[in-house]
Structure formats: C-alpha cells, structure tokens
C-alpha cells in the first residue's frame, strides 16, 4: 500500500501545558509515517519539555523565537510556504 503522507510537511505547535509531553508521541508517529515535521514552541512550552528533545525526535531545528535572525527571510514565513498542515 502506498503511503500518501510521505513527503508532506506539518508544523506542530507546542504551548505551555502539561500535555506538551504528548507532543513527543505525536511527532514520532508523524515521522514514522514519512512526514517532515517542524516544531514551533512557546517559551512556556519549554518549561514542560525541552526543544532539544523535540529536535532529536523531529530531526529539525525547533523554533522558539519568532525574531531569530538566521536568514534574511523571517522563518515563520519560510515555514508557512512549505507546510501542508498546522497541528
């Protein structure tokens, strides 16, 4: 059976809640399905789970600051242009 999800791009937003730890299972499941996952975390989410944990599971840098100037184009715009779904 062909995997229709492979190659899709999803942004997972993680906020400050005790349920933030569940994002690890969600991201892991998405990755096993062949989905590219980018994660955006609020500063309060970082109190419940570390960005390093989600970076390791997703295989991508975790975005925690909208104003991180690593590129001439704002990252939140770059992410939105290649994303199929925001969760």
């Amino acid at each position: 059976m062909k995997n229709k999800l492979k190659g899709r791009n999803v942004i997972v937003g993680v906020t400050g809640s005790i349920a933030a730890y569940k994002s690890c299972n969600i991201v892991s499941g998405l990755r096993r399905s062949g989905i590219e996952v980018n994660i955006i975390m609020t500063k309060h989410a970082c109190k419940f789970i570390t960005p390093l944990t989600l970076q390791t599971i997703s295989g991508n840098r975790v975005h925690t600051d909208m104003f991180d100037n690593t590129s001439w184009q704002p990252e939140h715009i770059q992410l939105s242009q290649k994303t199929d779904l925001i969760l």
Side-chain angles (χ1 to χ4, degrees):
M1 181 167 61
K2 185 177 178 183
N3 184 351
K4 293 181 181 181
L5 299 175
K6 189 171 183 165
R8 299 289 185 170
N9 291 294
V10 173
I11 291 177
V12 174
V14 183
T15 61
S17 164
I18 191 63
Y21 78 93
K22 292 187 178 225
S23 61
C24 291
N25 291 334
I26 293 168
V27 172
S28 179
L30 292 170
R31 292 292 296 146
R32 279 193 306 271
S33 295
I35 296 171
E36 182 74 18
V37 180
N38 286 282
I39 299 166
I40 300 172
M41 297 178 73
T42 65
K43 72 177 184 173
H44 291 106
C46 296
K47 303 262 185 197
F48 290 95
I49 187 168
T50 67
L52 180 60
T53 300
L54 289 170
Q55 178 177 310
T56 302
I57 295 168
S58 71
N60 288 313
R61 187 170 84 81
V62 173
H63 305 276
T64 58
D65 185 354
M66 187 169 105
F67 299 105
D68 183 11
N69 295 324
T70 58
S71 170
W72 69 272
Q73 185 178 21
E75 287 189 84
H76 64 282
I77 293 173
Q78 288 177 335
L79 287 174
S80 70
Q81 291 174 342
K82 67 176 188 175
T83 298
D84 297 305
L85 177 74
I86 298 175
L87 175 63

